[in-house]
Amino acid sequence: MLEKLQREQIIALMKQEVVPAMGCTEPMAVSLCVAKATEVLGCRPARIEALLSANILKNAMGVGIPGTGMVGLPIAIALGALIGKSEYGLEVLRDVNDTAVQAGRWYIGENRISIGLKEGITEKLYIEVTVRTQQGESATAIIAHDHTHFIRVEKNGEILLDAPLSADSEHESEEACPLTLRTVYEFATTSPLEELEFIKEARRLNEEASRQALKGNYGHALGKTLSRPLGKGIMGESIFSHILSATSSACDARMAGAPIPVMSNSGSGNQGISCTMPVVVFAEENHNTDEELTRALVLSHLTAIYIKQSLGKLSALCGCVVASTGSSCGITYLMGGNYNQVAYSVKNMIANLAGMVCDGAKPSCALKVTSGVSTAVLSAMLAIQNRFVTSVEGLIEDDVDRCIHNLTRIGHDGMNETDRMVLDIMTHKQ
């Protein structure tokens, strides 16, 4: 068992990274920044200016905003000023209503919102919002590195908060709480159970989101299609088909803007769903104990957090690769797998899904999530039989932690040009 201090550090990290969110986290983070700037201004602004990093723009262009029936940043920004509360964090638009939506439409129609790309920054998660009154008063708020991390707040030029990022800000959590896959495994499987009970809230929220999603007809309705007679006729009634349906349905609803909260992971609701639902469904249908499910959920979520430490919150690598790798570890554990077999599942995942491109948050994310989750199950099935991709193949090395860093090097550094090209394509469609 890990030392108590180390366990406490890991628990603090998990509670920081596994939090409730409503709607896609990128537009919600922008809305949060608007809400903070508006609160500092002290009144409803006449104009709102948002300067964003390319990754924020990419992930906020095509996703539904909860409770609005609308897509994209303008309505998220308007509502942040009208009804947003910064104290709600990533549930900033919890109080959305029809009256606010109509007022938001007026803001947009009057061209009171401007959105642009922030030039000259290397930070992939960066949001700068300035709000102004007609009398010339102004307030600015800046979020960077993390979806809820304010680094600067000012009013009329007076600095109220100044916490500039260091050059190595993307790796701060890695330095503060260094992890390895073995540390992750030992924490999840040996910590006193009462210390891990907090993860059950992820199950409650995401399971409820999945159930609610199946009642509607959201996005591309992938989850609902898989659960209907046509889907059952092709896929059959199996743990595998149930995992795919339960996971993709929650993603369908979230990306379409359903006002359904989920438990996120590392700033992403889809990652939180993908870390949770495959593990929950497998445990229920495999008749695992409550303790086994709790430990598997911790293993899944903490593996994703570990991978994200060196990848960064936003990258050109689709987050479903990371989250599905976590769920593959959790499923392998539920199958009775030991540490070596959990490591095998990670190698199988990296060998299969490395390079899946993120082209923004949108309804079709449900398709990518389902691809990732299906690979998670296959990887676990191989791993439990001690079958894994070896070090003579591609990105895989004998050391599983080196495999993980090979993956994150590609996503963090190697795919930067891919990121720029994806944004260029998305913003220049004909």
Side-chain angles (χ1 to χ4, degrees):
M1 186 186 297
L2 302 178
E3 295 292 330
K4 188 173 188 295
L5 177 60
Q6 190 174 10
R7 297 200 312 273
E8 289 174 348
Q9 290 174 332
I10 293 173
I11 290 168
L13 175 64
M14 290 194 71
K15 288 183 176 180
Q16 174 184 310
E17 300 293 352
V18 182
V19 297
M22 183 180 290
C24 178
T25 47
E26 276 70 56
M28 290 306 101
V30 177
S31 191
L32 172 63
C33 200
V34 175
K36 171 64 86 172
T38 301
E39 289 164 1
V40 171
L41 186 65
C43 62
R44 183 176 295 183
R47 285 201 55 79
I48 308 170
E49 302 164 8
L51 294 175
L52 313 172
S53 61
N55 287 80
I56 291 289
L57 274 174
K58 181 181 73 173
N59 279 358
M61 288 171 59
V63 70
I65 306 304
T68 69
M70 299 175 69
V71 170
L73 277 169
I75 188 63
I77 289 172
L79 290 176
L82 293 167
I83 52 93
K85 291 184 174 62
S86 64
E87 65 193 72
Y88 290 170
L90 292 178
E91 294 181 282
V92 58
L93 299 186
R94 187 193 301 172
D95 297 333
V96 65
N97 54 54
D98 290 342
T99 301
V101 173
Q102 290 304 313
R105 289 178 183 272
W106 179 84
Y107 251 85
I108 297 167
E110 291 290 309
N111 294 317
R112 293 176 179 269
I113 298 170
S114 66
I115 303 169
L117 184 67
K118 179 68 176 181
E119 303 288 351
I121 59 168
T122 58
E123 181 67 34
K124 294 183 179 181
L125 197 166
Y126 183 92
I127 302 164
E128 179 180 321
V129 171
T130 298
V131 294
R132 304 180 191 278
T133 66
Q134 289 183 332
Q135 293 73 33
E137 294 200 6
S138 67
T140 297
I142 300 175
I143 286 174
H145 177 53
D146 188 275
H147 292 79
T148 59
H149 180 54
F150 287 94
I151 65 164
R152 190 175 182 88
V153 177
E154 60 181 70
K155 181 177 182 180
N156 296 326
E158 178 186 355
I159 297 173
L160 306 178
L161 170 69
D162 187 17
L165 289 168
S166 66
D168 296 323
S169 60
E170 289 194 357
H171 302 290
E172 283 178 356
S173 67
E174 189 174 10
E175 294 170 358
C177 188
L179 297 172
T180 65
L181 188 65
R182 184 171 289 280
T183 302
V184 169
Y185 179 83
E186 289 187 6
F187 174 81
T189 59
T190 67
S191 294
L193 189 61
E194 61 271 17
E195 294 182 4
L196 309 179
E197 295 289 329
F198 67 90
I199 203 64
K200 289 184 176 181
E201 183 66 6
R203 175 191 181 179
R204 187 191 70 78
L205 270 184
N206 292 344
E207 203 168 25
E208 179 61 22
S210 180
R211 279 194 293 264
Q212 291 295 323
L214 286 172
K215 297 177 182 178
N217 195 33
Y218 301 107
H220 299 292
L222 177 59
K224 202 164 188 177
T225 299
L226 290 170
S227 68
R228 285 173 170 170
L230 174 62
K232 291 178 181 178
I234 295 173
M235 300 288 293
E237 285 282 7
S238 65
I239 294 179
F240 184 62
S241 64
H242 295 164
I243 285 173
L244 298 188
S245 176
T247 307
S248 58
S249 62
C251 183
D252 281 326
R254 183 173 172 272
M255 291 291 94
I260 300 173
V262 302
M263 189 67 82
S264 67
N265 181 294
S266 302
S268 167
N270 285 347
Q271 287 172 199
I273 292 165
S274 298
C275 284
T276 305
M277 290 312 300
V279 176
V280 168
V281 175
F282 186 90
E284 289 175 346
E285 302 205 13
N286 194 50
H287 305 294
N288 289 98
T289 66
D290 184 68
E291 177 177 346
E292 288 169 337
L293 172 55
T294 298
R295 293 189 183 281
L297 283 172
V298 170
L299 177 58
S300 177
H301 277 272
L302 189 55
T303 298
I305 292 168
Y306 165 42
I307 297 172
K308 277 287 189 172
Q309 281 186 327
S310 54
L311 179 63
K313 290 293 174 65
L314 297 176
S315 76
L317 182 70
C318 179
C320 83
V321 177
V322 176
S324 298
T325 299
S327 62
S328 189
C329 293
I331 291 170
T332 302
Y333 171 77
L334 292 172
M335 288 177 172
N338 57 30
Y339 169 75
N340 287 334
Q341 289 164 324
V342 166
Y344 297 159
S345 72
V346 172
K347 293 182 178 183
N348 292 339
M349 290 295 293
I350 293 171
N352 195 336
L353 289 183
M356 183 184 285
V357 172
C358 170
D359 56 341
K362 60 216 175 300
S364 60
C365 283
L367 294 166
K368 291 189 177 184
V369 162
T370 305
S371 295
V373 169
S374 62
T375 303
V377 176
L378 297 176
S379 295
M381 289 171 62
L382 286 172
I384 203 68
Q385 299 177 73
N386 297 313
R387 298 183 182 275
F388 60 96
V389 179
T390 67
S391 60
V392 298
E393 303 174 67
L395 303 176
I396 305 307
E397 299 193 37
D398 291 328
D399 184 334
V400 67
D401 295 297
R402 288 185 61 84
C403 296
I404 288 170
H405 283 274
N406 290 345
L407 172 71
T408 58
R409 279 181 61 202
I410 289 172
H412 185 273
D413 301 321
M415 296 175 72
N416 284 335
E417 184 56 38
T418 300
D419 226 4
R420 286 188 284 270
M421 185 170 290
V422 166
L423 183 65
D424 182 68
I425 291 170
M426 290 174 65
T427 54
H428 293 87
K429 293 181 183 179
Q430 296 182 0

